[in-house]
Amino acid sequence: MTLLRSIREVWRSRPTIEGAGVHLKRAFGNQEAPRLDPFLLLDDFRSDDPSKYLPGFPWHPHRGIETITYVLEGDVAHGDSMGNRGDISAGDIQWMTAGSGIVHQEMPRGNAQGRMGGFQLWANLPASHKMMDPRYRDVKRSEIPEVSTEGGAKVKVVSGRVNGVQGPVRDIVTDPEYLDVFVPKGAGFTHPVKRGHTVFAYVVEGSAYFDQGRDPYARKEVGRNYFDMERECLCGPESLVHYGEGDAVSITAEKAAVRFLLVSGKPIGEPVAWYGPIVMNTSEEIRIAFEEYRNGTFIKHR
Ligand code: CO
């Protein structure tokens, strides 16, 4: 029997400043990550004020994680220690496995209207893969299939499978699914997810019911990030919806159209030692990483 997942908790992303002074909204980070294993962080960098994003993310290292950058508007100019240079443009995804280490910079540039938009997700790597060779999947907008479902939703499949259509990003360690879902007003979207996997949705715009039970989730409060909304779980923009266990999720857009990211992945279940852009299993591994960064031996791959 299919068990529809209900909402475990909901909160809204909150303002923070990162890089060289980029104002963004953090949907989750250090504080919530233990509950969202294998995911570590989700940043929402939508902005219409260039002074808030142009400072960018100048040269910095990563080790032990994957960063997934999805650009909605504008471009992110990217360069790294492996000699890669390029733009991530509107609709494109860059799936970067830092593995043993890269040093890169990510510089957002707005579109002609001065608007910038996108998301960066961090996925952890298990101990067995933390020191793997770095790799990239640069996925252009045109390579991401869009599937229209019977229920009326339109789904861009970055990673995972919808109605037999598989996304271009494959063979990732934590078996992630990454979907960009649009549901018009009055329609719905039901999607199978693997039991045991962590599943969350992040509302880009609009609102929807993410839980068919529509329980007042106030009863399920466990954290301090809750915000007052209607007693029914109608989730609006910048809501992070963390699901409980089950085989499928079901979303209905009764009051407005909704666009959201739906992401799932297999928990790793290992200790996490995290300092800034480097995430390992032990504090000794963190110490070594920063020592190597200082003395110029950080980069292992040529
Ligand atoms: Co970075």
Side-chain angles (χ1 to χ4, degrees), residues 50-64:
S51 72
K52 302 272 168 70
Y53 58 78
L54 285 176
F57 305 89
W59 296 101
H60 59 276
H62 286 290
R63 174 178 285 176

Side-chain angles (χ1 to χ4, degrees), residues 60 62 104 106 120:
H60 59 276
H62 286 290
H104 76 165
E106 304 156 289
Q120 188 169 78

Side-chain angles (χ1 to χ4, degrees), residues 45-50 53-54 71-76 88-91 107-118 141:
F45 52 88
R46 289 179 286 170
S47 173
D48 52 14
D49 180 352
Y53 58 78
L54 285 176
V71 174
L72 299 185
E73 289 186 289
D75 301 278
V76 175
I88 315 170
S89 299
M107 306 305 281
R109 290 186 311 227
N111 63 12
Q113 291 75 42
R115 297 174 58 82
M116 181 68 224
R141 167 193 203 110

Side-chain angles (χ1 to χ4, degrees), residues 57-58 60-62 65 67 78 96 102 104-106 120 122 277:
F57 305 89
H60 59 276
H62 286 290
I65 61 170
T67 67
H78 174 264
M96 183 193 79
I102 58 109
H104 76 165
Q105 64 171 349
E106 304 156 289
Q120 188 169 78
W122 291 13

